[in-house]
Amino acid sequence: NKNIISIDFIFISIKKKANISSDWKELKPYGKNITRRSNHSAVIWNDHMYVYGGSEYNLGILGDFHSISLIK
């Protein structure tokens, strides 16, 4: 009996820009914010943050998807 484990990898090519910093800063979304959550997936692409799923203490497991604009 063999146990098979499948692992998917995503490779992202990032071009180095002179104005990129390793400093952390708080991002303020414009418009209505989404439900607080943990254990979610998120990525920033261009001027949006995309958030999928996660969990919230009172709501349980979330299966929603959001696109949050980071510019006005």
Side-chain angles (χ1 to χ4, degrees):
N1 235 351
K2 293 183 180 179
N3 293 328
I4 299 173
I5 299 174
S6 174
I7 301 173
D8 295 325
F9 292 95
I10 298 174
F11 295 96
I12 300 172
S13 175
I14 300 173
K15 295 181 181 178
K16 187 173 182 177
K17 295 183 180 179
N19 62 351
I20 293 179
S21 169
S22 62
D23 296 333
W24 286 86
K25 66 180 180 178
E26 183 178 359
L27 297 176
K28 302 273 186 176
Y30 295 97
K32 185 179 176 189
N33 204 348
I34 65 172
T35 305
R36 65 182 180 184
R37 62 194 62 220
S38 60
N39 303 312
H40 56 280
S41 298
V43 64
I44 293 178
W45 181 256
N46 293 328
D47 297 325
H48 286 78
M49 180 175 183
Y50 299 95
V51 179
Y52 174 72
S55 60
E56 200 277 331
Y57 182 77
N58 294 315
L59 299 175
I61 296 173
L62 305 170
D64 51 356
F65 181 82
H66 298 275
S67 172
I68 303 166
S69 177
L70 300 175
I71 61 170
K72 285 185 178 181

